[in-house]
Amino acid sequence: MNVEQIAIRQEVRQMLNEAGINKNTLKDMVKEVLQEEVSKACRQAVNESDVDSAIARKINDNFGKIVREATKDEIRGRVQGIFNRMTISVDITDKDGQSVVTR
């Protein structure tokens, strides 16, 4: 470090001390500024990309899948319910009205 750089550092330290800024407050200020900048950059990246369309596509795909599955389950349940309650009996009679059972 040359003489000019040392002089500049001393001058900056003196100015910071007069303003009441020490190492810890300077560190906190830098953190706040960095968080704000990162937040701005993230918002800008989201705004520049087509996030809304991607989300809408995913929702539509999943919604269609959910509706199909729910429809299939409901139809399956109703059809099985009908057949489970059904009793089928067969009575075969001949021309004279007599029951005919052949084994």
Side-chain angles (χ1 to χ4, degrees):
M1 199 179 293
N2 59 29
V3 175
E4 292 85 14
Q5 291 173 332
I6 293 171
I8 291 173
R9 283 182 80 169
Q10 287 174 344
E11 197 62 37
V12 169
R13 274 197 194 120
Q14 183 65 31
M15 289 171 52
L16 289 173
N17 282 334
E18 289 173 3
I21 299 173
N22 62 17
K23 190 192 278 187
N24 291 332
T25 56
L26 190 59
K27 196 185 313 183
D28 292 339
M29 290 169 68
V30 169
K31 279 183 186 179
E32 288 176 25
V33 169
L34 284 175
Q35 286 175 344
E36 186 177 319
E37 290 300 317
V38 168
S39 179
K40 282 182 191 176
C42 289
R43 279 194 301 272
Q44 183 178 356
V46 167
N47 289 335
E48 288 175 358
S49 61
D50 195 14
V51 174
D52 291 339
S53 294
I55 291 171
R57 272 194 308 276
K58 290 289 185 184
I59 289 173
N60 286 338
D61 292 347
N62 287 333
F63 182 74
K65 184 177 171 182
I66 290 168
V67 168
R68 281 191 299 276
E69 288 298 317
T71 304
K72 284 196 299 190
D73 290 344
E74 189 64 27
I75 291 170
R76 185 179 301 115
R78 289 183 185 227
V79 169
Q80 286 176 348
I82 290 170
F83 285 115
N84 286 340
R85 292 188 309 255
M86 207 179 276
T87 304
I88 299 174
S89 63
V90 178
D91 187 24
I92 303 173
T93 56
D94 61 10
K95 295 179 201 172
D96 300 325
Q98 300 292 320
S99 276
V100 178
V101 178
T102 307
R103 293 183 187 201

